[in-house]
Amino acid sequence: MRKCLQVRVCFNNPSSKDEIELLSNGAQRVYFWKPVHLEGDDADVKFYSPPVSARDFKQSIGSFTASAFVPYTTKAVTGTADGDLVIWDHVGISDVAPSATDRKAVKILRIHYSAITFLRAHDKFIVSGGMDGYVRFFDSKFRLEAWFEEHESGSVSSISFGAKTGVE
């Protein structure tokens, strides 16, 4: 494998039908990692790095900044330095993807006007934060559900959520 610095890593949603899956990204590549059980207690880790090209989408694709799995779906997303969201999903067997479990880039959406600096799955939402200081919540179909844009506190580097206590 060619060395490629990976700067972000995330785990698939535990309620997903997949056993365990990881997603990591560097500035230029995204990797999907999955353990494969061999005979006995031996296990191996397989990975797939789907190609993505500006030619595929007729637009340039900025450096990758953050990634997340989309809850309760087979999709994953990767944010870019341009404010775009690259959407990855499973594809059938083809020239591009050697097996039915591989993903490929299926769509690119502009969700910020500056770099996406934070992505995370929370409950049933994908939460994004940007260098523009905006925080946005999207559903699994990437419809904007909630947004916070008036706080003018600078670039978003992380977001935390409180635990549900069951007390209303």
Side-chain angles (χ1 to χ4, degrees), residues 9 16 19 28 31 34 78 87-88 95 101 112-113 116-117 121-122 134 138-139 153 160:
V9 64
S16 169
E19 291 178 20
Q28 303 301 318
Y31 289 89
K34 196 170 199 173
T78 299
I87 301 169
W88 310 95
D95 298 2
T101 61
H112 284 269
Y113 295 107
I116 296 172
T117 54
H122 176 70
Y134 299 168
F138 297 88
D139 68 9
S153 58
S160 65

Side-chain angles (χ1 to χ4, degrees), residues 1-56:
M1 174 170 87
R2 193 175 130 222
K3 290 186 180 181
C4 181
L5 177 66
Q6 299 293 284
V7 296
R8 306 282 172 117
V9 64
C10 62
F11 291 87
N12 201 352
N13 186 337
S15 65
S16 169
K17 65 181 178 177
D18 294 324
E19 291 178 20
I20 297 174
E21 191 174 20
L22 291 138
L23 168 58
S24 67
N25 73 269
Q28 303 301 318
R29 301 295 301 187
V30 172
Y31 289 89
F32 292 92
W33 306 84
K34 196 170 199 173
V36 177
H37 299 287
L38 303 174
E39 293 180 27
D41 292 333
D42 293 339
D44 194 12
V45 177
K46 301 274 185 181
F47 68 90
Y48 179 68
S49 180
V52 63
S53 164
R55 186 178 54 220
D56 296 338

Side-chain angles (χ1 to χ4, degrees), residues 53-61 82 84 108-110:
S53 164
R55 186 178 54 220
D56 296 338
F57 294 99
K58 297 179 178 62
Q59 73 176 68
S60 64
I61 299 169
D82 296 337
D84 293 329
I108 296 180
L109 298 173
R110 174 67 45 100

Side-chain angles (χ1 to χ4, degrees), residues 51 75-76 82 124 126 135 139 158 164:
K75 296 179 182 91
D82 296 337
K124 60 182 180 179
I126 288 292
V135 175
D139 68 9
S158 97
K164 292 181 182 179

Side-chain angles (χ1 to χ4, degrees), residues 77-120:
V77 291
T78 299
T80 72
D82 296 337
D84 293 329
L85 197 62
V86 178
I87 301 169
W88 310 95
D89 203 354
H90 287 281
V91 293
I93 297 172
S94 71
D95 298 2
V96 176
S99 94
T101 61
D102 292 333
R103 289 182 174 90
K104 74 175 222 172
V106 294
K107 188 183 286 190
I108 296 180
L109 298 173
R110 174 67 45 100
I111 64 168
H112 284 269
Y113 295 107
S114 63
I116 296 172
T117 54
F118 177 86
L119 277 175
R120 177 174 296 161

Side-chain angles (χ1 to χ4, degrees), residues 134-137 144-150:
Y134 299 168
V135 175
R136 296 179 173 152
F137 287 71
L144 186 62
E145 294 285 333
W147 58 94
F148 302 92
E149 300 177 349
E150 291 82 26

